[in-house]
């Protein structure tokens, strides 16, 4: 039973690490939403495996108890044929052993009940984590849609700026040509004035 308790404590520690909000050193540092959902599914699968292990061990304990009880009953039947004093002493010891076995089985049943309650609690935590991950994934999808819209706006703005730069370059070239033409006209006017 010590090994079961150690496994349960280790599992509780893992779940506690999952519940720490905003902890980048926890169980999921820097992971994407898709991989977190896969981790949650793995945790749920491991919880089911853990429950089946506990059930199998308790079944083995019940089988052992039944064997011991049948052995005690056989021993009690064997001592009935002897004289009354030794039979009564044997029955007293067997009654004590039976009481001890009943007590042990009661403790095992209590442990099983506690473990089932804790497993159900862990399942609820895992389901809550899965719901949170689904909400987070939906929020990330909405953010991605917003980012796509912003990228489209930035691309449109960039194309507008590029076309304006082209127009500006064309205008600059035309202005330079006009300045040259004006210079030629002024030179021609000076020549004309000097000729006159």
């Amino acid at each position: 039973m010590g090994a079961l308790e150690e496994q349960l404590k280790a599992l509780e520690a893992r779940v506690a690490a999952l519940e720490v909000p905003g902890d980048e050193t926890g169980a999921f540092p820097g992971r994407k939403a898709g991989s977190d959902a896969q981790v949650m599914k793995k945790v749920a699968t491991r919880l089911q495996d853990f429950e089946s292990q506990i059930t199998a061990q308790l079944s083995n304990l019940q089988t052992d108890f039944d064997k011991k009880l049948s052995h005690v009953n056989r021993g009690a039947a064997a001592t009935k044929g002897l004289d009354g004093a030794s039979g009564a002493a044997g029955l007293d010891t067997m009654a004590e052993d039976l009481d001890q076995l009943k007590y042990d089985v009661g403790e095992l049943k209590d442990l099983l009940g506690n473990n089932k309650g804790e497993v159900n609690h862990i399942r609820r935590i895992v389901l809550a984590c899965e719901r949170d991950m689904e909400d987070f994934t939906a929020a990330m999808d909405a953010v991605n849609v917003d980012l796509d819209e912003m990228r489209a706006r930035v691309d449109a703005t960039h194309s507008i700026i590029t076309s304006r730069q082209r127009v500006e370059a064309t205008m600059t070239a035309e202005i330079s040509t006009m300045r040259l033409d004006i210079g030629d006209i002024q030179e021609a006017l000076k020549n004309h004035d000097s000729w006159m």
Side-chain angles (χ1 to χ4, degrees), residues 89-100:
L91 286 177
D92 287 341
T93 356
M94 282 191 279
E96 289 174 6
D97 290 343
L98 184 62
D99 288 341
Q100 183 62 38

Side-chain angles (χ1 to χ4, degrees), residues 11-24:
L11 189 60
E12 287 175 352
R14 287 181 185 169
V15 170
L18 291 176
E19 292 178 333
V20 177
D23 185 11
E24 287 298 318

Side-chain angles (χ1 to χ4, degrees), residues 49-63:
D49 293 342
F50 178 69
E51 184 179 13
S52 64
Q53 287 175 356
I54 290 177
T55 305
Q57 288 181 358
L58 288 173
S59 174
N60 290 339
L61 289 173
Q62 182 67 36
T63 305

